[in-house]
Amino acid sequence: GTGSTATDASSHGLDATLLNGADWSTDTPSTAFANPGALIFDGVDAYVSVAGTPEIDDLQEFTLATWVTLSCLPAGTMRFITLRNEKAVLRYDDEALHFYVKIDGALKDIRLSGALVADSWLHVAGSSDGETMRVYLDGELQDTRAETGTVALGAGVHLSSPDEALHGLLDDVRVYDRALSDSQVQALANGEELTFDNDINVAGDFVRNGGVFNPGVGAVTFDGSGVQTLDTDALAFHDVTVSGGVTLTTEAVVMLLG
């Protein structure tokens, strides 16, 4: 990456702004990403902000995942991903991997003491499906916590934080609107194709941006309005439906595997 904007690789257009000295680095995990650039933070107040995220703010189920390298192991905290208003946070806390979610107004957390090391790329993830919170390190499920209730409304997304700044790097930051399965988190950590066996509804354009889409056994439904665009090269679907009132346009070669 270059410049002061990190482009959203999904079709939601949630581009991020680099602030307070956040910058780009060519030091990346040994995984083939479409964009070979990581975000680097100075540990003072550098962060990245994503504003206007109603798709994320309202989520009751989600997964946060990222690659991280820590430049040091200080006492105190450093944030990786924050769904603001303390909706959910994945962070470093005195060498522990710490994941918490605000449920019914209270912070519910999982802490993996001594789990994090410096100067090495690690894959970290936390998820909540409305019944169970889960934390992963390098693709392996580490701990769970049973929790039910209403997750707080969010207010945007921060990577690092001006108040709990990361001293290190982040790459391939992802927020999913569902709790990924154990095998899907393992696939992210392995740099493999991520297969979705559940159904997906697409209200806007389908833009792949060089990423990998594995059709699995789920159905993709284009259920927006007006013209929706399939903006990619050749692509396979297990099953695809275009709802009434939608015109799907594409120059791609589309294959149906179902």
Side-chain angles (χ1 to χ4, degrees):
T2 58
S4 60
T5 300
T7 302
D8 180 13
S10 77
S11 62
H12 295 289
L14 302 178
D15 295 344
T17 302
L18 282 62
L19 299 165
N20 295 352
D23 208 346
W24 296 98
S25 171
T26 56
D27 180 1
T28 61
S30 56
T31 303
F33 298 134
N35 183 352
L39 292 164
I40 186 168
F41 304 91
D42 60 11
V44 178
D45 60 358
Y47 72 107
V48 169
S49 178
V50 189
T53 58
E55 302 93 334
I56 295 173
D57 297 344
D58 294 336
L59 292 178
Q60 291 296 302
E61 301 179 18
F62 50 84
T63 300
L64 312 181
T66 187
W67 287 92
V68 59
T69 284
L70 302 172
S71 298
C72 57
L73 300 174
T77 58
M78 299 187 292
R79 296 197 179 200
F80 310 146
I81 306 174
T82 298
L83 305 188
R84 296 187 62 203
N85 194 32
E86 298 295 86
K87 178 184 182 74
V89 173
L90 190 62
R91 71 178 184 176
Y92 166 100
D93 186 355
D94 197 14
E95 300 187 27
L97 176 58
H98 191 205
F99 173 57
Y100 64 82
V101 181
K102 185 188 289 186
I103 300 174
D104 290 337
L107 299 182
K108 310 296 184 177
D109 76 324
I110 300 175
R111 183 188 305 271
L112 304 180
S113 298
L116 300 178
V117 298
D119 301 319
S120 179
W121 279 106
L122 305 171
H123 191 268
V124 297
S127 71
S128 179
D129 65 5
E131 296 182 352
T132 304
M133 296 169 55
R134 297 175 176 85
V135 170
Y136 302 82
L137 178 62
D138 288 334
E140 297 292 335
L141 178 64
Q142 301 294 317
D143 202 357
T144 65
R145 175 172 177 163
E147 288 291 346
T148 60
T150 302
V151 177
L153 181 68
V157 179
H158 280 175
L159 311 182
S160 182
S161 165
D163 301 316
E164 297 178 33
L166 172 64
H167 193 189
L169 299 96
L170 296 176
D171 200 6
D172 194 40
V173 179
R174 300 184 181 218
V175 179
Y176 288 95
D177 63 355
R178 62 186 69 83
L180 298 183
S181 67
D182 293 351
S183 62
Q184 289 172 330
V185 176
Q186 183 69 72
L188 288 180
N190 291 345
E192 298 171 352
E193 297 181 4
L194 193 60
T195 300
F196 287 99
D197 293 336
N198 52 313
D199 297 338
I200 301 173
N201 288 2
V202 181
D205 295 334
F206 189 109
V207 184
R208 194 162 65 167
N209 281 333
V212 175
F213 176 81
N214 190 315
V217 297
V220 176
T221 300
F222 291 87
D223 62 353
S225 60
V227 177
Q228 291 181 248
T229 301
L230 183 60
D231 185 5
T232 181
D233 50 10
L235 190 66
F237 291 102
H238 174 77
D239 186 16
V240 63
T241 299
V242 179
S243 297
V246 172
T247 300
L248 184 64
T249 65
T250 183
E251 296 182 0
V253 177
V254 178
M255 295 171 285
L256 293 179
L257 305 181

